Amino acid sequence: MANFKTHLNVAFMVSGTMSLMVYKAGLIDDSGFLMCVALGTIGGLLPDLDSDNSTPIKLGFNITSFIFAFGLVMHWRSELSLLALIALWLAGYGLMRYVVFSIFTNMTVHRGVIHSVPYMAIMGLGMTYVSYDILHLPLTASWFYGLFLFGGAMVHLALDELYSVNLSNMKMKRSSGTAMKFYQHKDKWWYLLLYVILALLVYFAPPFDEFWQQLRDPAPWAKLKLGLWPELIKNWLN
């Protein structure tokens, strides 16, 4: 499988290139461009959340633990003494970082159901829901955010599958087929649950027709084509 640095760099390059195209076409604004790059990069690390020793899961739990502990202190700051607040902060951090982290790692298996296409599709659609229904962001931006998160995850899975091929003698390694998967029989009940959730998310998804019409509109892509080459090169070509 590809390492953390490879996943990070490739996801950033792919999401950055695609985000720039969408931005230059006028489909997202400045903040939307930055969000798409960030979400595509995060998506490129997302499938490794089921790896006990991966950098993303350790970093994610460290940040979550700090936020959780900080939230506890802020909530009880006016009712507890300084020593009690320090004890509460340490207890909150320890609970998240060691207890919850241990439970999570024991319940998940690397390249299990998290490391699959339907799980990542749920994450992408979930991002669209949060953006549109909770944060009340524009429909087009919400769909792009979900698609970029999902697309980044697909880059991750594709890289893992590519690294499972021994290119020197074109043989498949034992890890082949364990990355970009849609189903695994030993986890059939988990996959059944995933597809039920995915079907519900698709059925109740934010309106897609309006977003699709914007993508099919030739005007943005014509604008992108006009701005493809620098003026110096266009003058030279003409």
Side-chain angles (χ1 to χ4, degrees):
M1 60 180 291
N3 58 27
F4 172 79
K5 185 177 179 180
T6 301
H7 284 309
L8 178 66
N9 289 338
V10 175
F12 175 74
M13 288 187 292
V14 172
S15 62
T17 301
M18 298 303 296
S19 299
L20 188 57
M21 291 176 60
V22 175
Y23 174 68
K24 290 293 289 183
L27 294 172
I28 54 175
D29 57 15
D30 296 356
S31 61
F33 165 70
L34 295 176
M35 280 296 297
C36 285
V37 176
L39 288 170
T41 305
I42 292 171
L45 306 175
L46 201 57
D48 273 349
L49 286 178
D50 60 359
S51 178
D52 297 356
N53 299 311
S54 72
T55 302
I57 185 62
K58 289 181 178 178
L59 180 61
F61 262 96
N62 276 331
I63 294 173
T64 302
S65 300
F66 276 117
I67 294 174
F68 179 74
F70 181 75
L72 288 178
V73 170
M74 292 303 295
H75 180 75
W76 296 99
R77 66 186 184 279
S78 60
E79 301 179 31
L80 298 177
S81 66
L82 175 61
L83 290 178
L85 287 175
I86 293 174
L88 180 64
W89 192 94
L90 293 174
Y93 177 83
L95 175 66
M96 288 297 298
R97 179 61 182 85
Y98 299 104
V99 178
V100 177
F101 177 75
S102 178
I103 294 173
F104 180 84
T105 54
N106 286 329
M107 290 180 62
T108 58
V109 179
H110 187 42
R111 292 209 173 187
V113 293
I114 291 179
H115 209 280
S116 67
V117 176
Y119 191 95
M120 293 302 120
I122 290 173
M123 293 294 101
L125 273 173
M127 184 71 242
T128 299
Y129 270 96
V130 170
S131 299
Y132 186 70
D133 292 325
I134 297 178
L135 301 179
H136 305 294
L137 298 177
L139 179 66
T140 300
S142 298
W143 272 109
F144 273 126
Y145 293 166
L147 287 173
F148 270 87
L149 186 69
F150 175 71
M154 292 302 98
V155 169
H156 179 113
L157 299 184
L159 279 172
D160 280 351
E161 287 295 352
L162 182 62
Y163 272 71
S164 69
V165 179
N166 188 340
L167 296 176
S168 60
N169 53 13
M170 296 305 293
K171 289 184 178 179
M172 307 300 289
K173 299 179 183 177
R174 292 182 60 185
S175 59
S176 178
T178 63
M180 188 174 286
K181 57 183 179 291
F182 293 83
Y183 175 78
Q184 206 167 24
H185 186 68
K186 67 183 182 68
D187 296 319
K188 58 183 179 181
W189 298 115
W190 282 112
Y191 276 96
L192 176 61
L193 177 61
L194 287 183
Y195 280 111
V196 169
I197 295 173
L198 183 58
L200 290 172
L201 287 174
V202 171
Y203 184 78
F204 293 105
F208 184 75
D209 291 343
E210 182 181 337
F211 173 68
W212 181 242
Q213 289 299 323
Q214 285 188 293
L215 290 185
R216 294 183 60 186
D217 186 357
W221 308 114
K223 184 191 305 182
L224 179 64
K225 186 178 179 181
L226 287 173
L228 183 61
W229 299 104
E231 288 296 327
L232 181 63
I233 297 179
K234 286 196 293 185
N235 292 335
W236 181 78
L237 290 175
N238 293 331

